[in-house]
Amino acid sequence: MSAVIARDIVKQFGDVPAVNGISLTIPDGEFMVLLGPSGCGKTTFLRIICGLERQTTGDLLIGGNIVNELPPRRRGVAMMFQSYGLYPHYTVRNNIAFPLKTQRVAREKIDKQVEWASQLLGINHLLDRRPRQLSGGERQRVALARALVREPTALLLDEPLSNLDAKLRTMARQEIKQFQTRVGLTTIYVTHDQVEAMGMGDRIAVIDKGKIRQVGTPTEIYNDPADLFVATFVGSPPMNIVTHNGGGYLGFRPENFLPKDMIEGGAATEFKFRIDRSEYLGAERIVYGVMEGFESKQLLTAKLPPAHVAEASIRPGEWHSFAVKNSELRHFNKDG
């Protein structure tokens, strides 16, 4: 296992910088998530780490060694792609063994490694089946076993759960995280799904337009976003942002924007809030509206516990006294 260090990595496609000066240190054994919208450069950066793309400028270190000139097979990393890329005419056993066969590893060692990886992921009973006979979750574990069979120093995962339905994604997230924690393998995980990022990452690097906007733990990213992009990209619903006095911005999370009589302890700032509509979601109620005296590019949201707020008390079209604790307000300057 090894640390992965990127030093001012730039990747140009013509005049367009897909990766625009990324510097990032991923310690040995960390689960790092690269989070950002489609087209932000996160997959290109991952492919640079793997060696499938060559950076225009900058240095990449794995295990303390500069690997700029090394081909993928000599970098000691394994990459699992979004599509899994299983060979349909091969059995599970042969799919897992494929990377070792291409390296002409001895048959005895191949058998040993396949058995180890398949037992580790609980698919040893599937070794004689073919991919079409497997569920989506089973195919995902086969692809992961194939990546691990080489005993990589780092594991790179590019949107590995995007082909699974919602229930399977939840289960697969738990399996991957538990596995990574157990083996302590340095892991870099690319996703546009903030739920995956928040639930799995030891730390998250939020990327936009080829640049890292913030690196931190899930708690740091959520509670103290570095700029407006992070504030509005992370969170569901996203952080409310309104234009503040002097042209700056004021931000607050929907769950902290509550009817004034629900605020307990600590100084709070009161706002007049007109509710336009509401959504009952079982465990919570989301209400949408506008605030008096403030401008926003979108409807503001409040996330309310339905057990405490009667539907009759939040009728659309009426103004209400809402408030946010001052400790939960976030201030952004004119540049965001």
Side-chain angles (χ1 to χ4, degrees), residues 32-54:
M32 170 63 75
V33 176
L34 307 181
L35 173 67
S38 298
C40 72
K42 57 189 184 296
T43 291
T44 299
F45 180 52
L46 195 74
R47 289 171 62 85
I48 289 171
I49 296 173
C50 186
L52 296 176
E53 295 280 358
R54 176 69 186 274

Side-chain angles (χ1 to χ4, degrees), residues 153-212:
T153 57
L155 178 62
L156 314 180
L157 305 174
D158 185 15
E159 303 266 12
L161 309 183
S162 61
N163 293 325
L164 304 180
D165 61 35
K167 183 177 180 180
L168 277 178
R169 280 202 304 272
T170 300
M171 295 172 60
R173 284 201 305 268
Q174 180 179 354
E175 289 178 358
I176 289 176
K177 182 57 180 177
Q178 287 180 342
F179 164 78
Q180 189 274 339
T181 301
R182 186 166 69 249
V183 300
L185 181 63
T186 305
T187 301
I188 308 173
Y189 187 104
V190 162
T191 184
H192 66 276
D193 187 327
Q194 58 177 295
V195 175
E196 287 183 12
M198 297 289 288
M200 300 176 72
D202 295 328
R203 288 192 301 156
I204 300 170
V206 183
I207 300 177
D208 180 47
K209 297 178 182 177
K211 291 180 175 289
I212 290 181

Side-chain angles (χ1 to χ4, degrees), residues 136-147:
E138 289 168 342
R139 287 194 292 270
Q140 178 248 329
R141 288 195 291 272
V142 172
L144 188 55
R146 186 177 59 185

Side-chain angles (χ1 to χ4, degrees), residues 91-103:
T91 63
V92 168
R93 185 188 307 277
N94 287 333
N95 266 286
I96 297 173
F98 184 79
L100 300 179
K101 289 181 178 179
T102 60
Q103 296 177 356

Side-chain angles (χ1 to χ4, degrees), residues 6 15 18 50 55 65 83 97 103 138 143 165 174 184 210 217 235 268 278 282 307:
D15 296 331
C50 186
Q55 66 264 36
N65 301 312
S83 64
Q103 296 177 356
E138 289 168 342
D165 61 35
Q174 180 179 354
T217 65
S278 70

Side-chain angles (χ1 to χ4, degrees), residues 11-266:
K11 175 63 178 180
Q12 295 273 153
F13 290 108
D15 296 331
V16 179
V19 177
N20 195 4
I22 286 182
S23 295
L24 182 65
T25 296
I26 304 167
D28 185 16
E30 182 174 66
F31 195 116
M32 170 63 75
V33 176
L34 307 181
L35 173 67
S38 298
C40 72
K42 57 189 184 296
T43 291
T44 299
F45 180 52
L46 195 74
R47 289 171 62 85
I48 289 171
I49 296 173
C50 186
L52 296 176
E53 295 280 358
R54 176 69 186 274
Q55 66 264 36
T56 306
T57 60
D59 291 323
L60 183 72
L61 291 81
I62 299 177
N65 301 312
I66 294 178
V67 298
N68 296 348
E69 306 296 330
L70 294 183
R73 67 180 183 276
R74 294 184 56 195
R75 296 194 177 195
V77 301
M79 187 163 177
M80 179 176 161
F81 297 95
Q82 180 177 351
S83 64
Y84 302 155
L86 301 179
Y87 296 106
H89 56 290
Y90 282 2
T91 63
V92 168
R93 185 188 307 277
N94 287 333
N95 266 286
I96 297 173
F98 184 79
L100 300 179
K101 289 181 178 179
T102 60
Q103 296 177 356
R104 298 184 179 180
V105 174
R107 180 71 192 185
E108 183 178 341
K109 184 174 182 180
I110 290 176
D111 291 342
K112 182 179 179 181
Q113 288 298 100
V114 170
E115 185 68 20
W116 167 78
S118 61
Q119 285 191 353
L120 189 66
L121 289 160
I123 55 172
N124 49 312
H125 63 294
L126 303 174
L127 291 177
D128 295 323
R129 297 186 188 179
R130 285 179 167 75
R132 67 176 180 273
Q133 298 172 299
L134 307 177
S135 68
E138 289 168 342
R139 287 194 292 270
Q140 178 248 329
R141 288 195 291 272
V142 172
L144 188 55
R146 186 177 59 185
L148 294 173
V149 77
R150 294 170 48 206
E151 296 183 291
T153 57
L155 178 62
L156 314 180
L157 305 174
D158 185 15
E159 303 266 12
L161 309 183
S162 61
N163 293 325
L164 304 180
D165 61 35
K167 183 177 180 180
L168 277 178
R169 280 202 304 272
T170 300
M171 295 172 60
R173 284 201 305 268
Q174 180 179 354
E175 289 178 358
I176 289 176
K177 182 57 180 177
Q178 287 180 342
F179 164 78
Q180 189 274 339
T181 301
R182 186 166 69 249
V183 300
L185 181 63
T186 305
T187 301
I188 308 173
Y189 187 104
V190 162
T191 184
H192 66 276
D193 187 327
Q194 58 177 295
V195 175
E196 287 183 12
M198 297 289 288
M200 300 176 72
D202 295 328
R203 288 192 301 156
I204 300 170
V206 183
I207 300 177
D208 180 47
K209 297 178 182 177
K211 291 180 175 289
I212 290 181
R213 307 296 288 262
Q214 185 174 0
V215 180
T217 65
T219 300
E220 291 167 345
I221 295 289
Y222 189 80
N223 290 335
D224 294 298
D227 59 25
L228 288 178
F229 174 80
V230 178
T232 54
F233 186 75
V234 176
S236 181
M239 179 177 279
N240 293 306
I241 303 293
V242 296
T243 304
H244 195 37
N245 294 336
Y249 299 93
L250 192 65
F252 45 93
R253 292 288 179 192
E255 62 270 24
N256 298 321
F257 185 41
L258 301 170
K260 183 181 177 183
D261 59 9
M262 291 181 63
I263 301 291
E264 297 179 359

